[in-house]
Amino acid sequence: MHNIDIDLSLDGLSKIEGHGALDLKVRDSKVEYIKFMITEPRRFYTTAVEGKSCLAAPAHMSRICGTCSIAHTMCCIEAIEKALDIVPSKEAMLLKKLTMYGMMIRDHALHLYMFSLPDVLNKDSILDLDESDQKENELLHQAFEIKAAGNNLSKLVAGRAVHATHPTIGGFLKVPSAEESKAMVAELKKVRPYIFTLLDIFARWEMRLERETTFMALVTDDFSFLDGTIQNSKGHRIEEKSYADHLENVVIPYSNSTGYKFEEGNYFVGALSRLNLNKASLHNGTKRDAGKYLAMFPSKNIFHNDLAQAIEILHSIDHSIEILENTVFSLEKRQPPKMKPGRGVGVIEAPRGTLYYLVQIGEKGEIVNAEVIVPTQQNQINIENDIKAYVEQNLHLSKEMLTHRIEMIIRAYDPCMSCATHFLNINWI
Amino acid sequence: MSKLKIGWFSFSCCEDSTIVFTELMNTHFFEWKKKIDFRHTKILKSNNVLEGLDVAFIEGAIATEKDEGEVKRIRAAARFVVAIGSCAVNGGPSAQRNKFDKSKQEKISSQIMQFGLNDRVKCLSEVIGVDSEVDGCPMSEDAFLTVLDKYFTIFGVNNA
């Protein structure tokens, strides 16, 4: 094959959360450079929160991101509770899990149906699905009913699907009534069968990109995205409080966000890592009914991140039904948190991967210092390396097709640019 | 039936109102497909056209000169502009650095220069003319639907 030169510039990636761009230069059939750029202006949240009361911090940090605002709320609460030595009650933990599940259902469904599904169906947009076609019409109705179910679960438990109002330091301000729980269970049971259509679509998708990398995730014993040990595919086990000590912050001069390496190597965080490392902890109903899809994991195929997200929707529905059917919530009397100086680390699994909060609190309960590491920052280097590998293996494709495929790879990561541009801290290396 | 030609744009913000917009589709998708021509909506499609818009809905504050130029191009392509959410309406959390004290300003100053950010983050009306506002963080669903309905009426979409 003759040597190939390509200059490619993608300004304004579509069907992702936030703003990103990409420049690629190929000379003599080798990628000379690839620049995956997060182009949103920085908003300096970790500086802005300094001096604020820790009681106000979760709602403030929630504004880092619209689509995964609940992840920021819950991770910030966890870090502050640890700093103040507050141990959440059993009921609070159940409500936290339901809050995470509502977010996962809504957020994953948004990504899978509105961003990725058009790629699978070879269409530009969900707007292009044909309502007169029975299958596509059913898919559209299923998409919006599943999204609504996640939205409604969030509203019921967390107050809102975006910038939740019920979760607070030490518990929840409102809890679902028995009647509300019953109605929510009925809605979740109605949409559950739809997930199998989605699983089938993404399991059959022929797109493939495999490359050696490290898969990393918080491994929880009930797959509730909240508490556990950070593990990776190389056998490392790390306590939540030590996570940042193992990461290297890397300046990416052309991007508005820094990236991260784990022990000098790139790594992946997200649903694919969670399935690769922890599928045994999924709900029994999910394992019973989605066995043939679970058998596809562990997988190195980045496009299986979509399938992994679909499985997580099913798990979130199954565990939510179990919790709601077996719990009578009572609005527990909460004592006002006792302020004291302290340092706390929160680590949870956000929809797009591992989210880390370090919070230091002063004597009056004010935030002295806050550090946040988000999933898209951690995946930034892995994304570039994946695209480089794909391009060098597929130089026979037309420039137009190559451009489209690169966008599909980026979408498979489900990146969140708003999250990645929240902060100040840079460690120049 | 003639459709309302819209664009949906975002600048410096968390895109919470964009997410609310996509969640409103859970109940309005089939109605909106009949009534709306989504000419420029990057959250939904790749093939976007920045011309001949009846209404541009713009979320977020303006933090760079590049974004000032972009939002002026949007203004020129649209008959009406609606500011969406707190950051667009009043700067919101995206403009929090405008009120930083001296020590915080010094802390971020090198990055303001390095990333080509404006000294001050501006709300939308400081940069372009704004015809309607939908406030909230995220935007109020009811207020957005009311404004959308107003433009359906202005452009004769409700009566078609």
Side-chain angles (χ1 to χ4, degrees), chain B residues 64-87:
Chain B
T64 66
E65 278 187 31
K66 181 172 179 280
D67 284 352
E68 282 199 26
E70 181 63 22
V71 82
K72 285 173 183 170
R73 276 190 290 279
I74 294 167
R75 172 74 267 189
R79 289 183 62 187
F80 294 94
V81 165
V82 181
I84 293 287
S86 296
C87 292

Side-chain angles (χ1 to χ4, degrees), chain A residues 323-357:
Chain A
I323 292 171
L324 290 167
E325 282 187 332
N326 293 289
T327 311
V328 177
F329 294 103
S330 59
L331 190 57
E332 295 172 328
K333 195 171 182 185
R334 288 177 306 103
Q335 297 297 326
K338 193 176 173 187
M339 295 303 159
K340 68 179 189 66
R343 180 182 186 276
V345 168
V347 179
I348 66 164
E349 283 294 314
R352 292 157 186 80
T354 311
L355 176 63
Y356 169 94
Y357 266 67

Side-chain angles (χ1 to χ4, degrees), chain A residues 132-426:
Chain A
S132 63
D133 178 281
Q134 190 188 341
K135 281 186 178 174
E136 293 188 8
N137 191 292
E138 282 176 8
L139 264 178
L140 283 169
H141 283 276
Q142 291 174 2
F144 293 114
E145 285 189 44
I146 290 172
K147 275 171 80 266
N151 203 334
N152 291 337
L153 179 57
S154 289
K155 284 180 177 172
L156 175 63
V157 180
R160 293 199 300 201
V162 179
H163 307 321
T165 50
H166 294 171
T168 188
I169 313 294
F172 279 67
L173 300 173
K174 193 170 179 290
V175 297
S177 68
E179 293 75 26
E180 288 170 331
S181 291
K182 194 177 170 189
M184 193 67 242
V185 166
E187 185 175 356
L188 291 169
K189 285 184 173 175
K190 179 172 183 284
V191 300
R192 187 181 188 272
Y194 304 161
I195 305 300
F196 296 93
T197 307
L198 196 63
L199 287 168
D200 215 45
I201 287 170
F202 283 105
R204 287 171 184 270
W205 197 18
E206 75 283 0
M207 283 301 296
R208 201 166 191 85
L209 171 55
E210 295 186 349
R211 187 180 61 80
E212 286 301 322
T213 191
T214 302
F215 293 96
M216 189 128 65
L218 179 73
V219 170
T220 58
D221 60 6
D222 61 355
F223 217 102
S224 61
F225 308 102
L226 283 171
D227 277 327
T229 309
I230 294 148
Q231 297 181 25
N232 72 20
S233 51
K234 290 182 175 169
H236 288 87
R237 297 172 74 92
I238 303 165
E239 283 185 84
E240 290 187 18
K241 64 183 179 186
S242 307
Y243 186 47
D245 300 338
H246 294 262
L247 304 180
E248 177 191 349
N249 193 206
V250 180
V251 172
I252 301 174
Y254 43 82
S255 177
N256 279 358
S257 174
T258 56
Y260 281 89
K261 287 183 177 178
F262 175 81
E263 298 190 346
E264 299 184 357
N266 64 181
Y267 63 104
F268 175 91
V269 294
L272 179 57
S273 286
R274 294 190 288 259
L275 262 291
N276 281 347
L277 295 165
N278 196 29
K279 66 177 180 178
S281 298
L282 289 163
H283 191 272
N284 283 334
T286 304
K287 286 193 281 194
R288 181 192 63 222
D289 296 338
K292 70 176 179 178
Y293 307 109
L294 288 172
M296 298 169 75
F297 298 92
S299 167
K300 292 176 184 170
N301 182 4
I302 182 60
F303 289 98
H304 281 163
N305 194 46
D306 290 331
L307 181 62
Q309 286 193 348
I311 291 169
E312 288 187 339
I313 294 178
L314 182 63
H315 163 81
S316 297
I317 289 173
D318 285 342
H319 201 187
S320 296
I321 290 170
E322 183 188 312
I323 292 171
L324 290 167
E325 282 187 332
N326 293 289
T327 311
V328 177
F329 294 103
S330 59
L331 190 57
E332 295 172 328
K333 195 171 182 185
R334 288 177 306 103
Q335 297 297 326
K338 193 176 173 187
M339 295 303 159
K340 68 179 189 66
R343 180 182 186 276
V345 168
V347 179
I348 66 164
E349 283 294 314
R352 292 157 186 80
T354 311
L355 176 63
Y356 169 94
Y357 266 67
L358 165 68
V359 172
Q360 282 181 287
I361 297 174
E363 281 187 9
K364 294 177 182 171
E366 78 281 13
I367 301 290
V368 176
N369 180 45
E371 292 174 20
V372 181
I373 301 172
V374 303
T376 296
Q377 283 180 284
Q378 297 176 74
N379 280 338
Q380 215 174 171
I381 297 170
N382 214 63
I383 290 173
E384 288 190 343
N385 290 340
D386 267 356
I387 294 171
K388 180 175 186 287
Y390 187 86
V391 168
E392 290 187 344
Q393 291 164 21
N394 291 278
L395 287 167
H396 59 282
L397 296 175
S398 67
K399 187 174 172 181
E400 185 186 25
M401 181 58 78
L402 207 52
T403 304
H404 181 52
R405 291 282 168 84
I406 288 170
E407 278 206 83
M408 285 165 65
I409 292 167
I410 294 169
R411 266 196 289 281
Y413 273 83
D414 192 13
C416 181
M417 313 308 191
S418 300
C419 273
T421 54
H422 62 275
F423 63 105
L424 165 70
N425 298 336
I426 289 187

Side-chain angles (χ1 to χ4, degrees), chain A residues 14-15 17-19 42-43 45 47 50 60 63 66 115 124-125 127 129 144 147 151 163 256 424, chain B residues 10 14-16 22-23 26 29-30 33 42-44 46-47 93 96 104 107 111 114-115 137:
Chain A
S14 65
K15 291 174 280 176
E17 201 292 318
H19 299 282
R42 291 186 174 207
R43 290 171 295 139
Y45 271 88
T47 307
E50 288 174 11
H60 181 78
R63 268 68 185 180
F115 300 167
D124 179 41
S125 169
L127 296 164
L129 267 67
F144 293 114
K147 275 171 80 266
N151 203 334
H163 307 321
N256 279 358
L424 165 70
Chain B
S10 76
C14 71
E15 293 201 342
D16 54 3
T22 62
E23 291 307 311
N26 297 343
F29 180 82
F30 297 99
K33 261 196 85 176
K42 274 199 326 196
I43 194 72
L44 295 176
S46 301
N47 299 323
Q96 58 196 348
K104 285 186 178 178
K107 207 170 171 180
Q111 293 189 44
Q114 183 189 348
F115 293 102
C137 183

Side-chain angles (χ1 to χ4, degrees), chain B residues 14-115:
Chain B
C14 71
E15 293 201 342
D16 54 3
S17 299
T18 299
I19 299 304
V20 170
F21 176 60
T22 62
E23 291 307 311
L24 281 168
M25 288 190 170
N26 297 343
T27 44
H28 294 276
F29 180 82
F30 297 99
E31 173 205 345
W32 286 358
K33 261 196 85 176
K34 291 189 185 81
K35 291 182 169 181
I36 295 176
D37 175 2
F38 295 88
R39 290 177 80 86
H40 199 298
T41 46
K42 274 199 326 196
I43 194 72
L44 295 176
K45 55 191 273 207
S46 301
N47 299 323
N48 294 296
V49 180
L50 185 56
E51 61 181 28
L53 300 179
D54 295 328
V55 188
F57 297 94
I58 304 179
E59 181 180 15
I62 306 302
T64 66
E65 278 187 31
K66 181 172 179 280
D67 284 352
E68 282 199 26
E70 181 63 22
V71 82
K72 285 173 183 170
R73 276 190 290 279
I74 294 167
R75 172 74 267 189
R79 289 183 62 187
F80 294 94
V81 165
V82 181
I84 293 287
S86 296
C87 292
V89 170
N90 58 39
S94 292
Q96 58 196 348
R97 68 176 166 89
N98 293 352
K99 293 178 181 168
F100 278 2
D101 61 24
K102 196 178 173 190
S103 75
K104 285 186 178 178
Q105 292 283 3
E106 284 172 1
K107 207 170 171 180
I108 67 170
S109 61
S110 63
Q111 293 189 44
I112 298 291
M113 286 175 62
Q114 183 189 348
F115 293 102

